Structure formats: C-alpha cells, structure tokens
Amino acid sequence: SDPAQPETGDDLICTVAPGRVNLIGEHTDYTGGFVFPMAIGYSTVCVGQGSIVPKARAKCKVVSVNKQSPQSQVITFEASKHMKPLPFDHSDSWTNYVAGVVDQYMAELPDDDHSISFQLAINGDVPLGSGLSSSAALEVAVATFIEKIMKDKYPDMKIGGGKEKALRCQKAENVFCSSPCGIMDQYVSATAASGSAILIDCRSLDYESIQMGETSQEGEAEKPVFLLCNS
C-alpha cells in the first residue's frame, strides 16, 4: 500500500522549509558572533496527517520519497518523553532528524497520557551533503508540521515563534544526530522572508530581516543576483 496514504480522518497537512546559503560570518554562529544567511529556492516538504492521541494508539510513520536518497520503506517509531536515537551506522539513522524534533515537542505536551502521532511523507530538492542545510530544512519542516497538530489539539498552547522553533531543531540535531552545529541553519530556515537576508546575533539570538536591494527613485526595486554553484 502507499506509505503516505492517510489512515485517519485528520486533515492533510503540508509544510515547507528552505535550505540556505550564508553571505557573511562562517563558523561564527557557535562562537556567539554574527551571521548573515538567506534562504534559497530549494526546500524540504512534509505532507501527511497527524494528531495528539492517547499513548496506546500513537505511532509515528515516516517515509522518504526523495530521489536523492535510497530510502523508500516506511519507518515506524513511538514518540515518548524518553526517546533515544538510532545508532549512527543504522540503515534508518536518517530518521534521527525527525525523531529528534519529535522528542523536543514531546516535552511540551501538558500530560503523560497523550503522544504525538503522524504519518509523514518527506521530499525535497535541497542537494544532500552540499552545505545548503538540507538537515535544517528537514527539521524545521517537521517542527512546523508538529506545531500544527499540537495547536489543533491545544489552541491556547504557547509554542513560541521562529526563534523557539529554531532552538528546538538545533537541540534535536545536537542530541539525536551528534552534530555540534550552531543556530544559524535552523534559524534562517524558520524565519526567512522572501527578498531578504537575516542578520542574526548568535549571542543574544536577536535577528533582523534585511531587504536585499534598494528602491530607486522610480519606485523599482534593484535587487542583487546571487549565483549558487553546486560544485
């Protein structure tokens, strides 16, 4: 059967998060400096259904349909507040990027009797292993998906904004993927706006959206052109 085929009556949800390039500030995000990244027109997409359900009925089912990766089977895991990542050399260890984000949001549930449950198909065109933050795009797309199903169950829940989402995704990658990354990749993927770059102070975690290009006297925007080479 189709691994992405819904099994419940929940609404179909689609979330998207972009990859990124960095214009100024290499290796300064994890040392508390400034970085100046921007999102690119390549992204990761999550499509599926999900809800907050009693623990006994909770299952997380994930499938990658990305042609860049060999995985196509459905991977199932249970969400809990004591989740552990798969070993690095496990054939399904790529799902640690998903499970790590789930782990971050499990801590936000108001009781121990319910859990996150979903069926999720993942695709994207961010080149893997190219330094364009495909992992952050995956984490942020999954986080946005989970926030949607949590808000559906708990409309008054205070989940936070883009900064809080980025911090959860960063911690997910630090803990579940053993990657000591800084905050930049997840931050720009969670907060980027069209036509702008993001100036991030990685010490205070404040950021400013900087429009790329000035408006001429005729009212036409003169925008710079960036050439990205996947070499």
Side-chain angles (χ1 to χ4, degrees):
S1 61
D2 183 352
Q5 182 65 32
E7 296 178 359
T8 71
D10 299 320
D11 291 337
L12 196 66
I13 301 170
C14 177
T15 59
V16 183
R20 68 97 187 100
V21 292
N22 189 32
L23 304 179
I24 301 174
E26 295 303 319
H27 304 290
T28 53
D29 57 338
Y30 49 81
T31 57
F34 289 89
V35 290
F36 192 46
M38 70 177 189
I40 59 176
Y42 294 87
S43 59
T44 295
V45 179
C46 291
V47 179
Q49 292 176 308
S51 56
I52 307 300
V53 301
K55 273 188 174 180
R57 296 196 292 112
K59 294 286 185 183
C60 296
K61 298 181 179 181
V62 184
V63 63
S64 171
V65 293
N66 193 329
K67 294 181 180 179
Q68 301 179 76
S69 59
Q71 300 91 354
S72 60
Q73 73 274 20
V74 177
I75 292 90
T76 301
F77 62 88
E78 294 185 7
S80 73
K81 294 186 177 181
H82 306 285
M83 297 172 65
K84 300 293 183 182
L86 293 174
F88 177 76
D89 58 355
H90 194 286
S91 60
D92 298 330
S93 61
W94 70 271
T95 59
N96 285 339
Y97 292 98
V98 179
V101 176
V102 173
D103 178 67
Q104 290 298 304
Y105 284 94
M106 281 296 299
E108 303 298 322
L109 294 183
D111 63 71
D112 293 331
D113 298 325
H114 289 77
S115 185
I116 296 169
S117 181
F118 57 70
Q119 301 170 85
L120 198 59
I122 299 169
N123 202 350
D125 58 0
V126 182
L128 304 181
S130 62
L132 297 176
S133 300
S134 59
S135 59
L138 171 59
E139 292 153 4
V140 173
V142 171
T144 304
F145 183 95
I146 294 173
E147 288 185 2
K148 175 64 170 66
I149 64 177
M150 290 179 72
K151 292 293 287 186
D152 286 346
K153 177 69 174 180
Y154 309 108
D156 297 327
M157 176 178 281
K158 306 298 183 184
I159 297 178
K163 179 172 74 173
E164 290 75 19
K165 182 187 298 184
L167 286 167
R168 292 185 182 106
C169 291
Q170 179 198 19
K171 188 173 181 181
E173 188 159 342
N174 292 162
V175 174
F176 266 62
C177 305
S178 300
S179 174
C181 63
I183 191 65
M184 176 179 69
D185 298 353
Q186 293 83 2
Y187 209 137
V188 64
S189 188
T191 62
S194 178
S196 299
I198 305 292
L199 178 62
I200 306 170
D201 181 338
C202 297
R203 179 169 296 177
S204 68
L205 296 182
D206 293 330
Y207 80 98
E208 182 180 359
S209 182
I210 307 295
Q211 185 175 356
M212 301 302 290
E214 298 180 355
T215 302
S216 66
Q217 292 182 351
E218 292 76 20
E220 296 180 357
E222 299 176 351
K223 295 185 180 297
V225 175
F226 294 92
L227 178 62
L228 309 181
C229 298
N230 182 16
S231 58

